[in-house]
Amino acid sequence: MTYLWNNGEAIELPIGKAVCVGRNYVAHAAELGNEVPTEPLLFLKPASSIVNAEGEVALDHRLGEHHYEAELMLLIGKPLNKGNIADYKSCIAGLGVGLDLTLRDEQAKLKAKGHPWERAKAYDKSCLVSRFVPLAESDLTHSEFSLSINNELRQSGDTNLMIFKIEQLLSEIVRYFSLQPGDIVLTGTPEGVGKLNIQDTLSVSLNGETLANCTIA
């Protein structure tokens, strides 16, 4: 696959890992009965999980119910680590909207046993990515994004409502592992998550601009 700008041009970056942030909106933590974290909750999805959210997206429904979680997404364009975190804005190539897909029943079983979540979160095609738009100065402090399914608004989020803001998230991430060009960061989902069904049509938008449309197969 290839990352794309919203004008259709290809972004010449390798496909990297996805760094995801859990429970970064109070209302979402509440809807799943989770405690609000006191520090960012981080997990990873591999490159094999990443797929463009365009056209038909075929999921493996034998794995169980796939649940959607729409999130503001950062595309890393230059190496970002502890040494240059103060200049983090220059390392962000663009913004998009990603879908962190989750096998919710599997996740519940794993959590109950105190086991890692990878089987529920890091499976193939579990990270749907939109096209990207270049970063503007105000985008990280006030960006609004949304997910509609079958022309019905299901989720809407605003960076103002994040528990941990973008700079804090990136600072926490690079404490443990560097970000490389082509990596993406999913910054957490607002309330309204739910099940995906075959033939559902999905549309994601950022600041009123549609960035992706797809149908679940």
Side-chain angles (χ1 to χ4, degrees), residues 1 3 14-20 43-52 99-101 117-129 182-184 186:
M1 67 166 283
Y3 292 137
I15 303 300
K17 62 184 177 290
V19 182
C20 305
F43 60 96
L44 300 178
K45 290 177 181 273
S48 58
S49 72
I50 298 172
V51 62
N52 280 320
L99 291 173
D100 167 20
L101 300 190
W117 297 355
E118 277 79 3
R119 283 191 292 178
K121 283 283 193 180
Y123 57 95
D124 288 352
K125 299 184 181 179
S126 64
C127 186
L128 277 59
V129 301
D183 288 348
I184 59 176
L186 294 159

Side-chain angles (χ1 to χ4, degrees), residues 195-209:
K195 176 187 174 184
L196 286 174
N197 297 296
I198 295 174
Q199 295 303 311
D200 276 346
T201 59
L202 282 59
S203 178
V204 295
S205 298
L206 177 63
N207 296 324
E209 182 177 1

Side-chain angles (χ1 to χ4, degrees), residues 18-86:
V19 182
C20 305
V21 179
R23 305 177 196 172
N24 200 24
Y25 290 80
V26 172
H28 171 60
E31 75 176 341
L32 294 185
N34 294 318
E35 295 182 356
V36 176
T38 57
E39 60 182 6
L41 176 60
L42 305 177
F43 60 96
L44 300 178
K45 290 177 181 273
S48 58
S49 72
I50 298 172
V51 62
N52 280 320
E54 288 292 341
E56 184 176 272
V57 177
L59 300 177
D60 186 352
H61 298 279
R62 297 171 298 180
L63 297 175
E65 291 185 359
H66 302 265
H67 284 221
Y68 59 83
E69 300 184 12
E71 315 195 9
L72 180 75
M73 177 173 57
L74 314 177
L75 175 63
I76 303 301
K78 296 193 297 185
L80 180 61
N81 52 51
K82 291 188 286 286
N84 67 340
I85 187 61

Side-chain angles (χ1 to χ4, degrees), residues 154-210:
R154 297 291 182 88
Q155 288 188 277
S156 60
D158 190 322
T159 51
N160 281 331
L161 299 177
M162 288 180 173
I163 300 170
F164 307 106
K165 309 304 184 187
I166 301 297
E167 182 176 6
Q168 185 177 2
L169 290 178
L170 293 176
S171 295
E172 183 71 8
I173 288 168
V174 301
R175 284 182 63 196
Y176 299 96
F177 34 81
S178 300
L179 294 171
Q180 302 299 325
D183 288 348
I184 59 176
V185 177
L186 294 159
T187 59
T189 193
E191 72 274 19
V193 301
K195 176 187 174 184
L196 286 174
N197 297 296
I198 295 174
Q199 295 303 311
D200 276 346
T201 59
L202 282 59
S203 178
V204 295
S205 298
L206 177 63
N207 296 324
E209 182 177 1
T210 299

